[in-house]
Amino acid sequence: MSSLSRARVARRIAAGAAYGGGGIGLLGAATVGVVLAEVQLAKRQVGHGRSPHPPSADGLYGYAYAGGEEPLRLTMLGDSTAAGQGVHRARQTPGALLASGLAAVAERPVRLRNVALPGAQSDDLDRQVRLVLSDPDGLPEVCVIMVGANDVTHRMPATRSVRHLSAAVRRLRTAGAEVIVGTCPDLGTIEPVHRPLRWFARRASRQLAAAQTIGTVEQGGRTVSLGDLLGPEFAENPRELFGPDSYHPSAEGYATAAMAVLPTVCAALGLWPADEERPDVARREGFLPVARAAAEAASEPGTEVAAAMPTGPRGPWALLKRRRRRRVPASDPAPSSP
């Protein structure tokens, strides 16, 4: 599917989410019978990994900077990817990697809280946001949401999925938090998934990722394409980047995802170098209609989309950035108790 076609589909899904439509699904009805058979086969082969519960990484990061400014508060929301399922050490989870990296860049301690739930779909975000907003320790400065894969595998209508995500972003932004959404990863690279499901899974993943981007940007958040998470790098190095269940990422896979998201987290907090905030034409960055930017980001991992000018002749516009990846700085081996 071309980026223009994907943009049209994403725009239609986002419009349906905004205006209450519910009939736009991710897969055509004619394919459902074949796909369901493949889903059952894939489920039997994937399994659930060796560790049913991801390690808790909540706590304080950046001990070297303690005693100065109050810690920044970072909260993770979403599904098993945000929770870090598939690894055995807290420091290997994406939340811990992001907290350590953010502390090093900000030269300030970071307190991490993770309310993500393995197996969650986008309709669980309402519950997770309530937990975040009722935290007696205060509201986070920045929230990272990773969600969407289970929406695809459970065939949640894309309009419903985007509606729940948009509502979550709106509530967190209204409360004053910066919000970064890691969009739906490319499920077409999961090893046990065979054709024709592989093609449909990839198409559905990218359609949802593009629609998530439109919904998020319209509510004042930013997105980062997580095609990387289960995308080309995973396809080329499945033994290295997938975990024991061939579905969730390994420690190396989560590090790859964290390196893609960290620059956008820092930029949202005003911590990224100013010269990198200007669009670089050599990297094909610039201002685009939000649907076009969303479609391009969905097909290129690690791409950031953020709101730009409020509107234009073709609707809202967005800034598309291809930030240089930087190694996540080494930091504390484990968090302190919350």
Side-chain angles (χ1 to χ4, degrees), residues 206-223:
R206 291 185 176 183
Q207 285 180 358
L208 180 57
Q212 286 178 318
T213 294
I214 296 174
T216 298
V217 170
E218 288 180 345
Q219 299 303 326
R222 304 183 185 214
T223 63

Side-chain angles (χ1 to χ4, degrees), residues 46-52 85-86 88 243-248:
V46 167
H48 297 288
R50 298 175 184 171
S51 178
Q85 187 164 4
H88 304 285
D245 61 3
S246 296
Y247 185 88
H248 294 100

Side-chain angles (χ1 to χ4, degrees), residues 88-109:
H88 304 285
R89 296 178 177 84
R91 67 174 181 267
Q92 298 172 327
T93 63
L97 292 165
L98 287 171
S100 296
L102 179 58
V105 173
E107 298 186 346
R108 182 175 170 183

